Amino acid sequence: MPKALQGATAVVETAERKQTAGSGRVLAALAIAQFICSFAGSNMNVMINDISKDLDTTVQGVQVAITLFLLVMAALMIPGGKLTERYGRKRCFLLGLVVYAVGALLCAAAPGLGVLILGNSLLEGVGTALLIPPVYILATLTYPDVTSRARAFGVIMALGGLGAAAGPLIGGLITSGISWRAAFVFQALVIGVIVLLSLRMTDPLPPDPTSSFDTFGAVLTAVGLVLVVLGILAADDNIWLMIGLMVLGALVLGWFFHHVRAKETAGQEPLLPRSLFRNRTSNLGLVTQNVQWLMLMGTSFTVAAYLQVVRGYDAMETGVIFTAATLGLLFTSLAAERMAKRRSQRLLITTGFAVAIAGIVVLIVLVGAFTTAWAFVPGLVLIGLGLGMMLTPSVNVVQSSFPEEQQGEISGLSRSVSNLGSSFGTAIAGTILVSGLTKGAYAAAMSCLAVIGVVGLVAATRLPRDTGTAEADVPQATAPL
């Protein structure tokens, strides 16, 4: 080979190695960011007793903090995605990390419930809404071909699922070994690692300061969702207040859709185009996503609260029991890609719901019959197996329903719907549970989750029969698979 050609080849190989290393650091930063945000949504469930005693509050007070954190994420996720166009993806990502870290440190030093809500529910929620949309956008832009992008999203989603499933165990170990406050310091330290990994990150596209942003639409969606969830939380105190808040929330959301129609008629860009809601397959997929996360977070809060308040387990023991669900979820999540190549998305989702609902039934029966901690294991394993089986196919069904130019918008809507399901799960099941922390209230809360799971199962059965394997959907889908 001529020396000139050898030199040129060496230069190209060096450039490729640098690009691979750079994209590897980017992927590590994005995946760890998704992990810590998912971890934050579930690890507080095992701290209920410790936090309520230390801050002189109640289980319901901790439930409100957890629910509002998930709700703030859901309400601001779509506006957060829109802001990345105007201010840049890397800038929003780093800003979200900083806001999140400040909130975590504020929680670690919280003298009372009010400061905890400010740090966790507001600052960590806002930080998450700013940093999560850039995670998926940067992954899409950094990995332009379908194969590498699918692998990147597989890593990101795997760490996200691991964070949600292992949150109770990790949080329980930290809480029992040190303090519940140390769990928030741990989050801040992880954020510091992500910032270091992100310093050399480059934004593939320059920001567009002239891009439009529907501020009024963002306010309407946020207010409407907050009112609906607050109405659920008020159910055990005042039934008329609950009805009033939920009706008012529904009216505000109706106002939002009227606002969207008016902006589109005037030729302006709304926060969300109405075309996203005209696809029947996508709408059914969004319903399944919402119900899946509702079941996951509702089960996590209900079982954790029951174990600690009624059974008297500490944070570490509660986290260890939850390992059963973690192992089940990880097993089917790791096998999701292989299953998606052999079975249709529709079959995986319907089977997942059936297994998860069966797990809730087993959980209710065995816990009612036996006092040993082993009574929780079979049901939690089944719930984990079912949820892990259908989380990825549901996302793929929604993403594959739209062309590439709408992937950013539908991704934001999809993540918002999932987070809204998480807040609904904690609010609905938690409200039933804290109304009377007894065996009967526990069974009622879990039964409610099973009934809502049937709604998801019915929606899954109505998906088109030709909703094929993931390989068949790859040409249309860009994120996440």
Side-chain angles (χ1 to χ4, degrees):
M1 181 183 293
K3 290 184 178 181
L5 184 56
Q6 289 178 347
T9 303
V11 170
V12 171
E13 290 177 348
T14 302
E16 288 179 345
R17 282 196 297 269
K18 290 182 178 179
Q19 183 179 10
T20 301
S23 61
R25 282 194 299 270
V26 171
L27 179 58
L30 302 181
I32 298 173
Q34 179 62 79
F35 167 85
I36 200 64
C37 291
S38 299
F39 170 85
S42 63
N43 84 110
M44 275 185 67
N45 291 332
V46 297
M47 308 175 189
I48 295 173
N49 261 355
D50 297 82
I51 293 177
S52 58
K53 291 177 181 177
D54 194 8
L55 301 185
D56 193 25
T57 184
T58 62
V59 173
Q60 188 176 20
V62 181
Q63 177 209 6
V64 169
I66 297 172
T67 304
L68 290 181
F69 165 70
L70 298 168
L71 177 59
V72 168
M73 282 198 298
L76 300 182
M77 196 68 74
I78 296 172
K82 288 285 188 178
L83 289 175
T84 61
E85 299 176 10
R86 175 176 290 190
Y87 299 107
R89 286 133 293 272
K90 179 181 178 180
R91 185 178 301 172
C92 287
F93 182 68
L94 291 175
L95 177 60
L97 291 172
V98 171
V99 173
Y100 188 104
V102 172
L105 293 175
L106 193 61
C107 290
L113 180 63
V115 177
L116 180 71
I117 290 177
L118 174 63
N120 177 251
S121 307
L122 186 60
L123 292 180
E124 287 193 357
V126 170
T128 303
L130 284 173
L131 71 90
I132 286 298
V135 165
Y136 292 89
I137 298 171
L138 286 168
T140 301
L141 297 176
T142 304
Y143 297 89
D145 64 282
V146 173
T147 302
S148 62
R149 186 181 302 157
R151 290 172 181 164
F153 277 111
V155 173
I156 292 171
M157 293 181 67
L159 281 184
L162 179 63
L169 176 60
I170 299 174
L173 291 173
I174 295 175
T175 302
S176 297
I178 308 175
S179 165
W180 67 268
R181 298 178 185 273
F184 288 100
V185 176
F186 166 75
Q187 294 179 42
L189 292 175
V190 174
I191 293 295
V193 173
I194 300 171
V195 171
L196 291 177
L197 290 171
S198 308
L199 291 179
R200 295 184 182 180
M201 180 189 295
T202 58
D203 198 333
L205 293 176
D208 181 13
T210 62
S211 64
S212 61
F213 181 75
D214 185 6
T215 304
F216 188 60
V219 172
L220 287 178
T221 55
V223 172
L225 293 176
V226 169
L227 288 173
V228 170
V229 175
L230 288 180
I232 297 173
L233 292 173
D236 63 322
D237 292 328
N238 189 319
I239 189 67
W240 293 110
L241 178 61
M242 178 199 77
I243 295 173
L245 289 172
M246 295 186 70
V247 169
L248 185 58
L251 291 175
V252 173
L253 291 176
W255 187 4
F256 165 72
F257 283 104
H258 175 74
H259 167 76
V260 169
R261 182 168 57 251
K263 286 189 76 71
E264 288 186 336
T265 302
Q268 300 174 344
E269 183 180 353
L271 183 69
L272 282 177
R274 286 183 295 168
S275 60
L276 293 183
F277 301 96
R278 292 172 179 161
N279 188 300
R280 179 176 178 271
T281 301
S282 172
N283 289 341
L284 290 171
L286 289 172
V287 171
T288 64
Q289 282 187 28
N290 183 276
V291 176
Q292 288 162 17
W293 284 97
L294 186 153
M295 294 173 69
L296 175 59
M297 298 306 296
T299 299
S300 178
F301 180 86
T302 303
V303 176
Y306 181 75
L307 285 171
Q308 294 170 85
V309 179
V310 178
R311 293 288 183 91
Y313 292 119
D314 62 23
M316 184 174 66
E317 292 169 332
T318 302
V320 170
I321 292 173
F322 264 101
T323 305
T326 303
L327 294 176
L329 192 147
L330 285 179
F331 178 80
T332 45
S333 294
L334 293 174
E337 182 179 358
R338 186 168 62 255
M339 290 190 296
K341 292 178 180 178
R342 301 175 181 177
R343 300 289 184 264
S344 71
Q345 309 293 303
R346 179 175 181 263
L347 177 61
L348 292 176
I349 297 170
T350 52
T351 304
F353 270 116
V355 173
I357 293 170
I360 293 177
V361 174
V362 170
L363 200 59
I364 295 173
V365 173
L366 292 184
V367 171
F370 303 97
T371 58
T372 174
W374 288 103
F376 290 87
V377 173
L380 288 176
V381 169
L382 288 174
I383 293 171
L385 288 171
L387 291 173
M389 184 182 300
M390 59 182 168
L391 286 175
T392 299
S394 287
V395 173
N396 194 43
V397 165
V398 174
Q399 298 292 146
S400 302
S401 301
F402 293 90
E404 184 157 343
E405 58 268 18
Q406 288 187 292
Q407 287 297 312
E409 292 172 328
I410 191 60
S411 294
L413 177 61
S414 174
R415 290 189 297 276
S416 181
V417 167
S418 297
N419 284 314
L420 186 62
S422 298
S423 60
F424 280 159
T426 306
I428 295 172
T431 298
I432 296 173
L433 183 68
V434 299
S435 64
L437 282 167
T438 63
K439 185 178 296 186
Y442 160 80
M446 296 304 298
S447 299
C448 180
L449 294 176
V451 171
I452 297 175
V454 173
V455 174
L457 175 61
V458 171
T461 59
R462 297 181 66 84
L463 287 168
R465 292 185 179 275
D466 59 351
T467 302
T469 64
E471 285 184 334
D473 292 336
V474 161
Q476 291 177 295
T478 62
L481 299 180

